Amino acid sequence: MTRLAIAGLIALRAGAAWAQQPPTVPTAPVFEPPRAHNAEVPYPAGAPPQDQPVAVTVKLTVDATGVVTHVERLSAPQPGFDEAVIAAARSFRFDPATYGGKPVAAEVTFKQTFLPPPPAPGLPAEDGPLRPARLRGKLVELGTRAPVAGATVTAGTGERRYVVDADARGQFVLPLPEGGARITVTAPGHHAFLQQEQLVAGQELAVTYLVERDRYDPYEIVVVGDQRREEVSRIALRGPEIRQVPGTFGDPFRVVQALPGVSAVASLLAFPIVRGSAPSATGVSIDGTRIPLLYHLGAGPSVIHPEFVDEVDFYPGGAPVAFGGYTGGMLDGRTRRAGRDEHVVDVDVNLVQAGALVREPIRPLGATLTIAGRYGYPGLVLSQVTNELSLSYWDYQLRLDGGTPNDGWTVFAFGARDELDELHYFTREGAPDPNDPSSDPRREALRPSLIMSFHRVDLRGHLTLGDLRASARVVLGRDRSLVDDSDDKPSRFAAWVAEPSARLDWRPTAAVTATLGIEGDVHDTAARFPAGGEPPADLVDGAVLRGLGRSYRASGFAEVLWRPGNDWLVRPGIRTDRYSDRTASHASVDPRLTVRYRLARRDLDDVPPDSDDSSIWLKASAGVYHQPPRYLVPLPGLDQLPLSYGLSRSVQTSLGVEVPLPARFEVTAETYYNELDPTFFELARPQDPVVTPGPSVLFPPPRLFDPSAPYLDQFAVRSSGRSYGAELMARRRSATGIYGWASYTLSLSERLRDGRWRPYDFDRTHLVNLVAGIPLGRNWDVGVRLQYQSGKPEPVLGEAVVRNAGYARFDVRFDKHAAWRNWILDFYVDITNVAVMPEEIEAKQTIRYVLPTAGVRGRF
Amino acid sequence: MASIMQQSAVVAAVMFGATPRAAASPATSSSDGGDGPVRLSLASEADRVAWLRSGFRLGLGVSYGTLHGQGAVPDFKTRGVSIRPGIRLDPQWSIYLSLQYAALDGGVARFASTVEPTWHITSHLAAGVGLGYAGISGYSRFDVEPVQPAVGTLGQSYTFPNVQRPLPHCTGVGLTALARLELGYVLGPRTRTHIAAEALEQWTGCEDASDTVDPFSGKQLVRRQWWAHTGASVSWGIEWR
């Protein structure tokens, strides 16, 4: 762990960069689940005898008109009962789910429990004794306090039974004889409720019964319709796919590491290497707002509370023109607008961090406020292993949503701070007193080696006028970093950020959507060096100093999404950016084109026939991408290099096919070829001489470190590159059943050095991922993840290159949900690298680690 | 927030076996039309019976034990944690996957992963055997002269068969086998606790990587040796269903 943290620090210090271009995207729409009008299942006439409750669980696909189009049995076969439930479920009618105000198809689970018939034929209530007492009750759901509709209440007194159906609000009144009564409540999708009551003549007994659901699952409903296929390489993740994947700390953004086309510097370091591009070539944003520091301490969870993130869209290539400033992939977290009457309190505590989220409506403003914050204390665990290193972090989010999904506004403030402390050795002034040990001038203490922080305020609004949707936004921010290279003389970097943008979406016909956007940003970066004004010789020399000051960007983009027929989608777009700082100005023009062709429609039971999800698609894209020169990984306040180095450029092309299969499976295959010309400030490292058993250097490497030249400038080398490969993925999407994916990527990424194509420093040829989430009975969920990445190049003997051993990792996660009166508890255990598999970080440095975490989450 | 704090205080009660039960106070008679007192369901079956049902189980535990090295192989004391997912197959049989992570003396770590069929002899007593994968990481001694490979094998990776002169550094994996006896007590329908005793044998393929790299393959030269340990441990744990 210690070595890995140090490796992470080294990676962080290797440089810093993040793009300055927040792409503008529409505000995330609100999803409303379908509501049932009727959900009654008559007891099957021909059912076999039963002496225990029989539960049948089915998954219903409800189309955009509220009609059940498919019923899939999820529980074990139970002849006689299955048929009754499936037949009845086909006739259920719903108010359809809506997404952004539009009806969409959705999946819901339904469970019917058949109780055994009464043990003896009870005497008719009409012939029984007088019923001078009344039982008045209310049925609410344990944990959520939602009313339980469609329940049957049975009271047994001696040999007699009295039955009443509760109303839609879960309320009932049942006249009963005086004395004891055994109460049973049965309701679809719930466990049987049992209670003993004592009734008194002439009095009414009022009770509230908490009825337990069969399964508490926060991801019970998932949108399956309206997943319009408009990009070539977009992978959208939702629900448990972004919350319960093992080895991710339950963090939505870390799931990207398990997707095809993504490799890693090291298994725990979260910076994605997407299709062989540098970490700084892949952009990360939340609703289009750039995040200058995505992962706490480079290897921890992301800086946004997971509850804010509704969906993660990952573009390994072919990103639309709304995303600019990156020559590699794009990762965009989509948040969800809070509902007007949402009340949520969410508390999460585990071995390395604690956090809370509170959401409450503010009625005078007609808005909903969400406040969240987390504090990470991995140093507490780390202190059991070493006293030379300590880590801590925190983050916060404050969000106010007002208006409606069509005409609304949002204020979103968020920020984070990370601190890494290392044992520093320093000398006090003054001569030591030999008789006083405390006067020894040599001292050691934990001092900050790296502090990174940022703050953002995102103000945005949107308006819908018929076919026109307009949105505007301004983002204001402050970034800071402190870097101390163990000499107790920290250097500080800070930047002010302003990023305005506006966008128009116009849909004149059902077949055409046109988009027009403008963006800009201003960054003002300053540095403060240790006393004396002399910057340290290594980190802040050369290029860094020239990059300080004010930089500007102005951008515009236009795009048309055109469906010339039922089987074609054509998406041409163009983007232009102009960058300037005190060293240079550059302009770029990025044309891009995406084409999809519906090769065939498939008749799948569980997918609406007119859906994009039921078709075989051929897809292709080509586009030009530019970005300003950046350091290798981000540091807030220290990201962009001087523009005098010029812009980096890539030409991305891809060709693929999507094939839907029964039972929600889908297979996708895609090939890609990216030309990278020029690339800039990639690792392409100068090398130390190779140590051999011989008396001297056997083969000197082509480029040695020059101790007299600025350290960073030796990395500032322009080059050409290419990456190409193929990605294969089989995926099953389900919010209630087994979900997951298996993927294989063949990836080759090369750079032209000294006239020859050589593997890129982070090139890994074979990438394999297997992710599966399995819901079990009694509210258990088990997740497994297997990842293999082949080795990356290691320089040996100068010209010769071998690859290290690569790594395999196996992660598991267990989740248990339990309800307790008016809140739900989630207990989880997440183990990263459960088998403690070895990983060769670099030549002669192999580590073994395991990261077990256990925690509880309460949702009120 | 005060009510939240009060409710969070019962998290531990839930985790350690408290069961939702009927409210202690009786329902009140009223005719004012308001909601009555809140009641939870009575249990539909005895807790002990519920634990006999098949289904998924997850246990967490802490353990303390010793590892005795055969020959001159070093001994260790172990303090660790265990994570035991498993499946109750029927009232008599379960199968567990036991994951153990322990700190040993001198900054050494041990990990083991075993598959353990378990026979529930009575409702309290269970016995199991396990076989799996185990390893040691980070053993280092700098006060011992490293053993040298046989003449003619310098510059090669080499396995030292004689454990009377153990390698000064050991990181590696191998096989382990164990026998386990467990005494359990049901705390509630969701939770039970247990104490257990284990006897184990572990064979570890130690590797001591040198600083020397083969100039043509780029691979490190490695000294290897098999270490055998016999051990015992006691543990206490909580299990959920």
Side-chain angles (χ1 to χ4, degrees):
Chain A
M1 179 66 191
T2 306
R3 287 177 178 176
L4 200 64
I6 293 171
L9 177 63
I10 291 169
L12 280 170
R13 287 178 170 177
W18 216 242
Q20 318 259 334
Q21 297 83 339
T24 306
V25 294
T27 306
V30 172
F31 174 72
E32 294 289 343
R35 292 188 175 83
H37 287 301
N38 66 324
E40 295 178 3
V41 181
Y43 193 87
Q50 60 171 133
D51 56 3
Q52 294 290 329
V54 173
V56 178
T57 305
V58 293
K59 183 173 69 179
L60 311 179
T61 303
V62 182
D63 72 9
T65 64
V67 173
V68 176
T69 58
H70 179 70
V71 182
E72 178 188 358
R73 178 175 48 78
L74 300 178
S75 51
Q78 289 158 122
F81 298 99
D82 291 344
E83 296 80 355
V85 173
I86 291 171
R90 289 189 192 283
S91 64
F92 290 174
R93 286 294 177 270
F94 289 82
D95 285 336
T98 59
Y99 192 62
K102 298 176 184 175
V104 295
E107 283 180 352
V108 295
T109 53
F110 174 78
K111 182 171 182 177
Q112 172 72 37
T113 303
F114 295 100
L115 291 178
L123 298 175
E126 291 73 15
D127 299 336
L130 293 174
R131 295 194 280 170
R134 289 211 313 169
L135 179 67
R136 181 170 58 81
K138 183 178 178 184
L139 307 176
V140 295
E141 202 168 80
L142 185 69
T144 67
R145 293 281 179 147
V148 177
T152 300
V153 181
T154 305
T157 58
E159 294 182 343
R160 298 182 186 277
R161 276 171 171 70
Y162 306 90
V163 180
V164 66
D165 289 334
D167 63 18
R169 293 178 296 171
Q171 296 178 336
F172 68 91
V173 175
L174 183 59
L176 291 171
E178 184 179 15
R182 184 171 177 80
I183 311 298
T184 305
V185 180
T186 57
H190 294 75
H191 289 303
F193 178 96
L194 306 173
Q195 190 51 267
Q196 185 74 36
E197 302 292 3
Q198 192 70 32
L199 294 123
V200 178
Q203 291 193 5
E204 179 182 84
L205 180 63
V207 292
T208 301
Y209 291 153
L210 297 182
V211 185
E212 187 176 7
R213 268 165 61 182
D214 289 329
R215 181 168 178 81
Y216 288 87
D217 189 341
Y219 319 108
E220 198 161 59
I221 297 170
V222 62
V223 177
V224 295
D226 205 33
Q227 298 288 319
R228 300 301 290 266
R229 310 224 167 187
E230 296 166 349
E231 298 88 9
V232 167
S233 303
R234 171 173 168 261
I235 300 173
L237 302 167
R238 292 178 67 94
E241 292 175 327
I242 58 174
R243 304 280 172 77
Q244 291 185 190
V245 171
T248 64
F249 312 112
D251 190 275
F253 284 102
R254 289 196 63 120
V255 181
V256 171
Q257 288 178 297
L259 294 178
V262 180
S263 60
V265 177
S267 67
L268 267 183
L269 289 180
F271 307 112
I273 310 293
V274 180
R275 289 185 175 174
S277 59
S280 60
T282 294
V284 180
S285 59
I286 185 89
D287 287 340
T289 299
R290 179 182 66 96
I291 303 176
L293 169 68
L294 178 61
Y295 300 109
H296 284 298
L297 300 162
S302 71
V303 296
I304 301 292
H305 193 292
E307 191 67 16
F308 279 97
V309 182
D310 184 47
E311 180 179 285
V312 171
D313 288 344
F314 175 56
Y315 303 87
V321 291
F323 297 102
Y326 301 95
T327 55
M330 190 69 215
L331 176 60
D332 187 38
R334 304 288 296 275
T335 62
R336 180 178 68 87
R337 281 179 61 83
R340 278 207 165 179
D341 293 316
E342 269 194 78
H343 303 262
V344 175
V345 176
D346 189 301
V347 179
D348 188 354
V349 180
N350 62 38
L351 293 179
V352 294
Q353 72 174 25
L357 177 142
V358 178
R359 176 171 291 157
E360 279 293 321
I362 301 179
R363 301 194 189 283
L365 289 177
T368 303
L369 175 68
T370 308
I371 300 175
R374 293 179 297 177
Y375 177 71
Y377 36 80
L380 196 64
V381 177
L382 202 60
S383 65
Q384 304 301 310
V385 182
T386 177
N387 59 358
E388 297 185 352
L389 200 64
S390 183
L391 309 167
S392 65
Y393 60 82
W394 51 255
D395 60 57
Y396 69 90
Q397 298 86 36
L398 186 152
R399 177 170 170 144
L400 202 55
D401 292 302
T404 67
N406 286 332
D407 304 314
W409 53 270
T410 296
V411 178
F412 189 21
F414 59 97
R417 183 181 187 274
D418 294 1
E419 180 170 337
L420 182 146
D421 296 340
E422 286 182 293
L423 201 61
H424 282 205
Y425 298 88
F426 58 95
T427 306
R428 292 193 313 188
E429 292 183 357
D433 178 355
N435 299 319
D436 180 10
S438 66
S439 68
D440 188 340
R442 293 166 298 173
R443 282 287 180 271
E444 60 181 43
L446 281 174
R447 291 286 188 87
S449 286
L450 184 66
I451 298 177
M452 301 176 287
S453 68
F454 76 91
H455 308 276
R456 289 287 184 276
V457 178
D458 177 349
L459 311 165
R460 57 179 119 144
H462 59 274
L463 186 66
T464 304
L465 299 167
D467 298 329
L468 193 67
R469 181 184 173 92
S471 56
R473 152 187 295 179
V474 62
V475 179
L476 305 173
R478 176 71 165 159
D479 298 342
R480 284 181 172 170
S481 288
L482 175 149
V483 180
D484 186 353
D485 207 19
S486 303
D487 57 3
D488 204 29
K489 293 178 180 176
S491 302
R492 293 177 169 83
F493 304 90
W496 291 102
V497 178
E499 300 172 342
S501 62
R503 171 175 172 142
L504 284 175
D505 294 279
W506 180 43
R507 193 174 186 189
T509 71
V512 175
T513 301
T515 301
L516 194 65
I518 54 171
E519 301 169 352
D521 69 45
V522 181
H523 282 217
D524 192 358
T525 308
R528 189 152 56 91
F529 298 112
E534 291 297 324
D538 54 358
L539 267 182
V540 292
D541 217 345
V544 176
L545 289 177
R546 297 197 302 277
L548 299 175
R550 201 164 289 174
S551 65
Y552 306 90
R553 178 181 63 89
S555 307
F557 62 87
E559 183 182 59
V560 175
L561 204 154
W562 179 36
R563 292 176 181 266
N566 284 334
D567 298 332
W568 284 93
L569 174 104
V570 183
R571 189 174 185 175
I574 190 164
R575 177 185 182 89
T576 179
D577 299 271
R578 181 172 177 80
Y579 304 89
S580 64
D581 67 8
R582 64 178 184 171
T583 66
S585 293
H586 295 286
S588 63
V589 178
D590 297 354
R592 299 172 195 173
L593 176 67
T594 296
V595 177
R596 299 177 70 96
Y597 173 65
R598 194 192 310 263
L599 196 62
R601 293 178 189 272
R602 302 206 68 196
D603 184 16
L604 300 173
D605 287 343
D606 51 353
V607 183
D610 57 345
S611 163
D612 285 358
D613 288 345
S614 65
S615 304
I616 299 175
W617 290 95
L618 287 178
K619 54 186 188 177
S621 74
V624 179
Y625 297 76
H626 282 88
Q627 72 173 49
R630 299 194 189 104
Y631 296 103
L632 196 65
V633 290
L635 281 185
L638 186 65
D639 48 12
Q640 186 168 308
L641 285 158
L643 286 168
S644 56
Y645 286 114
L647 302 180
S648 298
R649 185 185 70 116
S650 71
V651 178
Q652 300 182 6
T653 59
S654 67
L655 180 67
V657 61
E658 296 169 359
V659 181
L661 299 173
R664 287 279 170 204
F665 279 96
E666 179 185 69
V667 173
T668 61
E670 193 168 331
T671 60
Y672 65 91
Y673 178 87
N674 296 342
E675 182 184 284
L676 314 169
D677 186 20
T679 64
F680 181 76
F681 202 79
E682 296 191 317
L683 198 51
R685 56 186 169 197
Q687 296 156 6
D688 293 318
V690 174
V691 177
T692 71
S696 61
V697 173
L698 196 55
F699 296 102
R703 289 191 296 118
L704 291 171
F705 273 119
D706 178 0
S708 64
Y711 178 83
L712 285 180
D713 277 1
Q714 297 194 56
F715 290 96
V717 177
R718 292 173 71 90
S719 179
S720 295
R722 64 186 183 190
S723 66
Y724 50 99
E727 296 162 356
L728 187 65
M729 183 179 191
R731 179 183 181 192
R732 184 175 198 269
R733 285 188 291 167
S734 172
T736 53
I738 295 174
Y739 68 89
W741 59 89
S743 70
Y744 168 73
T745 303
L746 174 67
S747 171
L748 296 114
S749 182
E750 299 167 331
R751 301 295 182 268
L752 191 61
R753 293 173 193 160
D754 306 313
R756 289 172 56 187
W757 288 106
R758 301 166 196 272
Y760 178 44
D761 295 67
F762 298 138
D763 175 49
R764 296 182 187 268
T765 307
H766 305 286
L767 313 173
V768 178
N769 287 293
L770 174 64
V771 174
I774 307 158
L776 300 175
R778 290 188 57 78
N779 286 302
W780 284 102
D781 287 308
V782 176
V784 296
R785 169 182 164 184
L786 178 66
Q787 183 174 57
Y788 169 75
Q789 300 201 349
S790 62
K792 62 181 191 293
E794 290 293 344
V796 175
L797 298 185
E799 291 294 313
V801 170
V802 298
R803 289 178 183 268
N804 65 22
Y807 71 86
R809 203 176 98 178
F810 182 46
D811 308 330
V812 297
R813 180 181 171 108
F814 308 100
D815 281 83
K816 166 78 174 177
H817 315 288
W820 184 262
R821 295 199 176 239
N822 58 348
W823 60 287
I824 296 172
L825 175 76
D826 181 13
F827 166 61
Y828 56 89
V829 175
D830 191 328
I831 313 170
T832 300
N833 198 13
V834 66
V836 202
M837 300 292 283
E839 180 175 347
E840 190 174 359
I841 299 294
E842 58 182 25
K844 297 195 291 186
Q845 188 178 4
T846 298
I847 64 167
R848 287 178 184 270
Y849 70 89
V850 59
L851 289 180
T853 303
V856 290
R857 175 187 173 197
R859 188 176 173 86
F860 304 86
Chain B
M1 287 301 288
S3 64
I4 295 165
M5 294 300 290
Q6 287 173 355
Q7 300 213 31
S8 63
V10 303
V11 169
V14 176
M15 300 294 297
F16 288 88
T19 310
R21 298 291 187 192
S25 59
T28 55
S29 299
S30 71
S31 56
D32 58 3
D35 292 343
V38 170
R39 286 178 173 258
L40 294 160
S41 178
L42 299 171
S44 58
E45 62 184 349
D47 296 343
R48 198 178 295 173
V49 175
W51 275 89
L52 298 178
R53 294 190 180 280
S54 60
F56 183 76
R57 308 282 190 267
L58 179 68
L60 298 181
V62 292
S63 65
Y64 179 84
T66 63
L67 284 176
H68 175 67
Q70 294 179 10
V73 170
D75 299 342
F76 299 107
K77 285 188 168 47
T78 67
R79 298 166 299 282
V81 297
S82 66
I83 301 162
R84 291 170 56 83
I87 295 174
R88 184 74 176 243
L89 302 171
D90 61 30
Q92 275 77 46
W93 289 95
S94 295
I95 187 161
Y96 286 90
L97 173 66
S98 176
L99 308 168
Q100 297 184 32
Y101 306 99
L104 279 54
D105 309 318
V108 185
R110 173 183 182 263
F111 51 91
S113 172
T114 51
V115 176
E116 297 178 12
T118 300
W119 175 38
H120 298 274
I121 304 164
T122 70
S123 60
H124 294 294
L125 191 64
V129 293
L131 183 66
Y133 158 98
I136 288 173
S137 178
Y139 174 77
S140 279
R141 286 191 64 178
F142 295 97
D143 58 345
V144 176
E145 184 70 21
V147 291
Q148 295 300 323
V151 175
T153 61
L154 285 170
Q156 299 176 24
S157 292
Y158 187 82
T159 298
F160 296 86
N162 183 1
V163 294
Q164 293 307 319
R165 290 202 63 191
L167 293 175
H169 309 283
C170 174
T171 291
V173 296
L175 281 175
T176 188
L178 63 84
R180 174 185 171 94
L181 198 61
E182 179 183 297
L183 189 62
Y185 179 76
V186 172
L187 299 173
R190 290 193 186 115
T191 318
R192 72 188 281 270
T193 184
H194 62 254
I195 54 173
E198 283 184 7
L200 67 89
E201 191 75 22
Q202 177 171 328
W203 299 268
T204 309
C206 288
E207 294 189 350
D208 178 4
S210 71
D211 288 336
T212 305
V213 175
D214 181 307
F216 298 100
S217 69
K219 299 297 179 188
Q220 278 178 280
L221 301 183
V222 177
R223 300 185 184 94
R224 296 191 175 90
Q225 192 172 57
W226 281 94
W227 285 8
H229 285 93
T230 301
S233 69
V234 292
S235 64
W236 168 77
I238 295 280
E239 189 173 354
W240 290 271
R241 63 181 283 270

